[in-house]
Amino acid sequence: QVRLVETGGGSVQTGGSLTLSCTASDYDYPHGCMAWFRSAPGNKRKAIAAIDSDGHITIKDSEKGRFAISRDKSKNSLYLQISRLNSDDTGTYYCTAARVNCAMGYPYGMDFWGHGTLVTIFS
């Protein structure tokens, strides 16, 4: 059974930076997409960024400046670096993975989800 475990959340001051990590266990889909989502109270769940096994990244232009996604296939790990944090970044961040590549699976077809890690931004 695929298991995704996120770490790195916490309370961070506005303007700071943070790196979230995700380790996947028993995820045996070499061409599968991995991605980050955020959920915040009162807001719809938001897709942040995705990355294919070949390193191709899908991310909105508005997010490119502050969010950086990366993946280490040898460690079956996914990362999200967030810089210049602001209050809008507060929420629970979820690591997700799909059986298929991002073109097919992202954002609505992600098969596996972690339990999330909470990020709280304070001023």
Side-chain angles (χ1 to χ4, degrees):
Q1 183 173 350
V2 176
R3 184 171 179 235
L4 303 173
V5 178
E6 304 95 337
T7 57
S11 295
V12 183
Q13 194 166 19
T14 299
S17 60
L18 193 68
T19 297
L20 304 179
S21 302
C22 170
T23 301
S25 302
D26 296 322
Y27 178 58
D28 191 20
Y29 300 94
H31 301 295
C33 177
M34 297 189 79
W36 288 98
F37 288 72
R38 181 180 67 225
S39 180
N43 294 313
K44 290 175 61 176
R45 187 174 61 196
K46 180 179 180 179
I48 302 297
I51 185 168
D52 271 306
S53 59
D54 63 0
H56 182 260
I57 292 171
T58 302
I59 185 169
K60 292 181 181 177
D61 287 342
S62 60
E63 312 286 8
K64 281 181 182 177
R66 298 195 305 116
F67 293 83
I69 188 171
S70 60
R71 180 173 179 176
D72 186 337
K73 291 198 299 182
S74 67
K75 297 180 180 178
N76 235 0
S77 294
L78 180 71
Y79 307 96
L80 183 69
Q81 294 176 284
I82 316 171
S83 60
R84 303 192 304 279
L85 286 155
N86 60 63
S87 58
D88 290 338
D89 297 321
T90 291
T92 299
Y93 286 73
Y94 296 91
C95 172
T96 69
R99 296 181 174 91
V100 295
N101 63 24
C102 293
M104 297 178 66
Y106 180 74
Y108 302 110
M110 304 306 287
D111 300 292
F112 311 105
W113 291 70
H115 290 295
T117 185
L118 179 63
V119 173
T120 304
I121 309 304
F122 64 92
S123 57

